[in-house]
Amino acid sequence: MMTTAVLAACGGKSEAPATDAAAAPTEKVYKVGMNAAFAPFESVDASGKLVGFEIDLTQAVADAAGIKVQFNNTPWEGIFASLENGDNDLLTSAVTITDKRKENMDFSEPYFEAEQLILVTRGQSISRVEDLQGKKIAVTTGTTADAVAQKLFGANSPNTKRFESLPLVLKEVESGGVDAAIGDNGVVANYVKNNSDKGFTTVRGADFDKEYYGMAVRKGDSALLAKLNAGIAKVKQDGTYDKLYEKYFGRKS
């Protein structure tokens, strides 16, 4: 009897702990592409941290929408491809909403009104757009400034110099390689403010159209677009947007 009992005990199967509870699903983290060479919208500080108006705004919009985001510093020349191929889920990099871009991506409601501004080097008598005729100008390839320059002077004007990033455009201005540059007003005004000793001036073009920045998502991603629009509406309504705008650009006039 004893032997039988022992054998029965040894031969019995031990029951494994119950594992019926399903693992909690991993929360989606949306990758945000931005070219961090566009202060005060986005740049990299001395510690290597991404900072700027669009960093703070995108985080505030994400918090309001109840989603998680991860910022991804992306070269401008590849930023739209990164959205299409899935390296990024959305773009917030001072992307102007245009009909041409709408063919390949969808945009949120606008969150910033902008216009092009002419940056004039010391000693140049440029006070209107017409004065740029015959002058050497610099723009960032593929931007609204590039489109403006092509409209004004032709796509193949030898006087238009194109660069892959705005910092390179500004370095060309500083070195005297061009007489002027065209760029987004928020960035150009910030640059002049922080380089007051260099004698730069700015000119607004009367015929430069108003532009609007939007958050770009892949074509057809209506679910993410709805979340972003809800977040943008909330931060505008609760005063968060105005606080961030004043932090980086001063009070609206």
Side-chain angles (χ1 to χ4, degrees), residues 12-253:
K13 292 181 180 180
S14 59
E15 295 295 328
T19 57
D20 293 337
T26 303
E27 185 175 1
K28 167 74 173 178
V29 177
Y30 293 94
K31 293 171 289 185
V32 183
M34 50 179 52
N35 177 218
F38 212 62
F41 290 91
E42 50 266 332
S43 60
V44 181
D45 69 10
S47 67
K49 181 181 178 182
L50 289 169
V51 295
F53 172 72
E54 286 181 315
I55 301 289
D56 291 352
L57 177 64
T58 304
Q59 187 62 64
V61 168
D63 292 342
I67 61 176
K68 291 187 178 298
V69 292
Q70 173 186 310
F71 297 107
N72 184 16
N73 191 1
T74 307
W76 177 260
E77 61 268 24
I79 201 165
F80 296 118
S82 77
L83 181 65
E84 186 175 356
N85 65 26
D87 287 342
N88 288 309
D89 299 302
L90 66 143
L91 307 177
T92 55
S93 192
V95 181
T96 302
I97 301 170
T98 67
D99 289 338
K100 184 174 180 59
R101 286 173 178 166
K102 284 181 179 178
E103 295 174 2
N104 302 303
M105 62 196 78
D106 290 331
F107 284 95
S108 70
E109 291 297 315
Y111 62 83
F112 193 87
E113 181 182 294
E115 62 182 332
Q116 294 302 298
L117 200 61
I118 303 168
L119 175 64
V120 182
T121 59
R122 188 195 301 269
Q124 290 295 323
S125 56
I126 298 172
S127 60
R128 55 181 186 162
V129 174
E130 291 75 11
D131 294 334
L132 290 174
Q133 289 289 350
K135 303 287 187 180
K136 292 181 180 179
I137 62 171
V139 298
T140 307
T141 302
T143 61
T144 308
D146 190 358
V148 167
Q150 291 187 47
K151 181 180 178 181
L152 291 173
F153 312 115
N156 301 310
S157 170
N159 289 330
T160 301
K161 302 182 72 173
R162 295 177 172 84
F163 298 87
E164 293 181 354
S165 69
L166 191 60
L168 292 177
V169 168
L170 298 177
K171 283 184 179 179
E172 188 70 6
V173 171
E174 286 187 8
S175 69
V178 292
D179 304 307
I182 303 175
D184 288 21
N185 60 327
V187 178
V188 171
N190 182 72
Y191 176 74
V192 172
K193 176 183 175 182
N194 292 324
N195 292 274
S196 57
D197 60 319
K198 293 184 170 63
F200 297 130
T201 57
T202 59
V203 175
R204 277 186 165 81
D207 54 348
F208 286 178
D209 296 332
K210 291 287 186 183
E211 302 166 15
Y212 298 91
Y213 298 162
M215 297 181 180
V217 303
R218 275 185 291 279
K219 196 74 176 173
D221 193 350
S222 56
L224 177 55
L225 198 62
K227 292 175 182 178
L228 294 176
N229 282 332
I232 290 171
K234 187 172 182 180
V235 299
K236 285 185 175 181
Q237 184 178 24
D238 67 13
T240 300
Y241 180 91
D242 289 338
K243 290 177 181 177
L244 291 177
Y245 188 98
E246 183 174 348
K247 175 182 176 180
Y248 289 98
F249 306 104
R251 288 184 179 272
K252 291 184 179 180
S253 54

